[in-house]
Amino acid sequence: PRRVRRRDAARVSGSASRASRAAPARAASADASVDTASETKDVPRGDTAGAMMVLRDVRLTVGDRDLLVGANLRVEPGEVVGLVGANGCGKSTLLRAVCGARDVDAGALLVAQNAEVGYLEQTAVSGSKLTVAEEARSRMTHVRDAERALKDAEAGIAAGAKGAESAFLAAQERWEAMGGNSVERRVADVLSGLGFAREAWDRPCAALSGGWQMRVALARLLLSPAGDAAKEGITGGFLLLDEPTNHL
């Protein structure tokens, strides 16, 4: 694949060219081939020397065919990188490697240690049994974790646990810092911004066309820790978009 990006000073080599700057950093493919994972728990992390992601002499192979050989890439915080190439050339495979769904066959692929990685799969929300609003909220793990910590701290105070008050203050600060009281407004803003009328929020995703299912997946990504990241730089959000305009 080629990398296309708007940054003349970029140093690019290997079998992939590059495109614009914006935050959070994003990588988007235009491939229609490989099934994808929905989680990013096994992201390959390490010292990226200030970059959001680096590839060093990476080789990616499927079966007996090399998709990438000696690929080198450095994605800076705030950059947008577009992967452009024919179907089957390895764009989706590379994104799967970045999110930890598969390993590289040689070389090093590293994502910044504290970056929040979010992944938009080609499959969007196909197979979901949730409603539009439920699916949009389904990856708001940062909100659920903060809410759980606050409830646990409140229970600790009620039980007279040692250190409960300090734990409660810390949990409350965390809840307020991530805008816990404005969560429903953010959900409404995202869904409305993507064209969903209020009466459509309770519709099952399975009843939607492919294009509207992709919009639900975009909403889910934007409301995830990566899409909703308050921090910037290498501790901010890194969004991996696999055919984000598919069906749109």
Tab-separated table of all heavy atoms in Angstrom, residues 23 28 39 43 87 92 114 117 133 145 150-151 176 191 193 211 216 220 222 242 248:
chain	number	residue	atom	x	y	z
A	23	ALA	N	-6.038	16.300	15.040
A	23	ALA	CA	-5.989	15.516	16.264
A	23	ALA	C	-7.371	14.945	16.531
A	23	ALA	O	-8.376	15.591	16.263
A	23	ALA	CB	-5.536	16.392	17.426
A	28	ALA	N	-6.342	5.525	8.285
A	28	ALA	CA	-7.529	5.010	7.600
A	28	ALA	C	-7.128	4.176	6.403
A	28	ALA	O	-6.274	4.562	5.640
A	28	ALA	CB	-8.414	6.175	7.138
A	39	GLU	N	-11.366	-5.532	19.721
A	39	GLU	CA	-10.715	-5.013	20.909
A	39	GLU	C	-9.290	-4.607	20.589
A	39	GLU	O	-8.718	-5.007	19.581
A	39	GLU	CB	-10.712	-6.077	22.021
A	39	GLU	CG	-12.097	-6.520	22.446
A	39	GLU	CD	-12.917	-5.420	23.080
A	39	GLU	OE1	-12.307	-4.474	23.600
A	39	GLU	OE2	-14.143	-5.491	23.053
A	43	VAL	N	-2.355	-4.236	21.999
A	43	VAL	CA	-1.604	-3.284	21.178
A	43	VAL	C	-0.117	-3.413	21.482
A	43	VAL	O	0.278	-3.410	22.651
A	43	VAL	CB	-2.075	-1.845	21.463
A	43	VAL	CG1	-1.182	-0.833	20.768
A	43	VAL	CG2	-3.522	-1.672	21.033
A	87	ASN	N	-7.145	-3.702	-3.393
A	87	ASN	CA	-7.656	-4.705	-2.463
A	87	ASN	C	-6.642	-5.827	-2.288
A	87	ASN	O	-6.043	-6.302	-3.262
A	87	ASN	CB	-8.968	-5.297	-2.984
A	87	ASN	CG	-10.128	-4.325	-2.847
A	87	ASN	OD1	-10.025	-3.316	-2.177
A	87	ASN	ND2	-11.231	-4.637	-3.502
A	92	SER	N	-5.621	-3.527	5.588
A	92	SER	CA	-6.351	-3.999	6.768
A	92	SER	C	-5.462	-4.868	7.647
A	92	SER	O	-5.555	-4.817	8.881
A	92	SER	CB	-7.589	-4.797	6.345
A	92	SER	OG	-8.533	-3.963	5.718
A	114	ASN	N	1.231	5.134	26.335
A	114	ASN	CA	-0.004	5.570	26.983
A	114	ASN	C	-1.047	6.118	26.010
A	114	ASN	O	-2.010	6.770	26.434
A	114	ASN	CB	0.316	6.625	28.041
A	114	ASN	CG	1.182	6.058	29.160
A	114	ASN	OD1	0.876	5.003	29.713
A	114	ASN	ND2	2.275	6.748	29.480
A	117	VAL	N	-5.927	3.733	22.044
A	117	VAL	CA	-6.121	3.236	20.684
A	117	VAL	C	-7.577	2.834	20.474
A	117	VAL	O	-8.148	2.090	21.270
A	117	VAL	CB	-5.191	2.036	20.405
A	117	VAL	CG1	-5.429	1.497	18.985
A	117	VAL	CG2	-3.734	2.438	20.585
A	133	ALA	N	-28.442	3.440	20.420
A	133	ALA	CA	-27.871	4.127	21.573
A	133	ALA	C	-27.025	3.185	22.427
A	133	ALA	O	-25.957	3.561	22.918
A	133	ALA	CB	-28.975	4.761	22.419
A	145	ASP	N	-15.737	2.701	34.165
A	145	ASP	CA	-14.721	2.519	35.204
A	145	ASP	C	-14.781	3.640	36.237
A	145	ASP	O	-14.672	3.392	37.447
A	145	ASP	CB	-13.323	2.460	34.578
A	145	ASP	CG	-13.095	1.194	33.775
A	145	ASP	OD1	-13.898	0.253	33.911
A	145	ASP	OD2	-12.102	1.150	33.011
A	150	LEU	N	-16.498	5.486	41.659
A	150	LEU	CA	-17.253	6.418	42.500
A	150	LEU	C	-18.246	5.673	43.380
A	150	LEU	O	-18.374	5.961	44.583
A	150	LEU	CB	-17.976	7.425	41.603
A	150	LEU	CG	-18.606	8.640	42.290
A	150	LEU	CD1	-17.562	9.445	43.039
A	150	LEU	CD2	-19.303	9.510	41.245
A	151	LYS	N	-18.926	4.688	42.816
A	151	LYS	CA	-19.892	3.910	43.604
A	151	LYS	C	-19.189	3.093	44.685
A	151	LYS	O	-19.679	2.977	45.814
A	151	LYS	CB	-20.691	2.994	42.689
A	151	LYS	CG	-21.695	3.734	41.810
A	151	LYS	CD	-22.488	2.779	40.938
A	151	LYS	CE	-23.526	3.528	40.111
A	151	LYS	NZ	-24.291	2.621	39.228
A	176	GLU	N	-15.347	13.885	37.524
A	176	GLU	CA	-15.556	15.237	37.031
A	176	GLU	C	-14.583	15.572	35.909
A	176	GLU	O	-14.946	16.269	34.949
A	176	GLU	CB	-15.417	16.240	38.176
A	176	GLU	CG	-16.546	16.128	39.205
A	176	GLU	CD	-16.338	17.032	40.406
A	176	GLU	OE1	-15.250	17.658	40.493
A	176	GLU	OE2	-17.251	17.113	41.252
A	191	LEU	N	-24.574	11.238	18.246
A	191	LEU	CA	-25.601	10.595	17.429
A	191	LEU	C	-26.319	11.607	16.540
A	191	LEU	O	-26.562	11.343	15.355
A	191	LEU	CB	-26.600	9.866	18.326
A	191	LEU	CG	-26.081	8.588	18.987
A	191	LEU	CD1	-27.122	8.015	19.941
A	191	LEU	CD2	-25.700	7.547	17.937
A	193	GLY	N	-25.090	14.445	15.526
A	193	GLY	CA	-24.122	14.918	14.548
A	193	GLY	C	-23.927	13.952	13.392
A	193	GLY	O	-23.574	14.356	12.278
A	211	GLY	N	-24.876	1.469	5.572
A	211	GLY	CA	-24.382	2.822	5.794
A	211	GLY	C	-24.701	3.337	7.184
A	211	GLY	O	-23.857	3.952	7.845
A	216	VAL	N	-23.224	4.100	13.213
A	216	VAL	CA	-23.258	3.657	14.614
A	216	VAL	C	-21.846	3.313	15.074
A	216	VAL	O	-21.430	3.665	16.188
A	216	VAL	CB	-24.191	2.448	14.795
A	216	VAL	CG1	-24.134	1.952	16.241
A	216	VAL	CG2	-25.621	2.792	14.428
A	220	ARG	N	-19.734	4.912	18.128
A	220	ARG	CA	-19.119	4.088	19.168
A	220	ARG	C	-17.650	4.426	19.337
A	220	ARG	O	-17.139	4.515	20.463
A	220	ARG	CB	-19.307	2.617	18.797
A	220	ARG	CG	-18.784	1.629	19.807
A	220	ARG	CD	-19.052	0.208	19.345
A	220	ARG	NE	-18.333	-0.103	18.102
A	220	ARG	CZ	-18.517	-1.210	17.388
A	220	ARG	NH1	-19.414	-2.105	17.774
A	220	ARG	NH2	-17.833	-1.414	16.289
A	222	LEU	N	-16.124	7.324	18.472
A	222	LEU	CA	-15.966	8.692	18.979
A	222	LEU	C	-16.262	8.794	20.465
A	222	LEU	O	-15.751	9.688	21.148
A	222	LEU	CB	-16.878	9.636	18.195
A	222	LEU	CG	-16.505	9.849	16.726
A	222	LEU	CD1	-17.585	10.650	16.018
A	222	LEU	CD2	-15.161	10.542	16.597
A	242	ASP	N	-10.744	1.523	9.439
A	242	ASP	CA	-10.667	0.602	8.317
A	242	ASP	C	-11.877	0.822	7.417
A	242	ASP	O	-12.988	0.423	7.742
A	242	ASP	CB	-10.618	-0.841	8.818
A	242	ASP	CG	-10.105	-1.803	7.768
A	242	ASP	OD1	-9.961	-1.377	6.601
A	242	ASP	OD2	-9.832	-2.971	8.099
A	248	LEU	N	-21.106	4.548	2.871
A	248	LEU	CA	-21.617	5.905	3.098
A	248	LEU	C	-21.707	6.662	1.768
A	248	LEU	O	-20.905	6.443	0.879
A	248	LEU	CB	-20.699	6.661	4.056
A	248	LEU	CG	-20.583	6.083	5.478
A	248	LEU	CD1	-19.694	6.984	6.322
A	248	LEU	CD2	-21.963	5.982	6.122
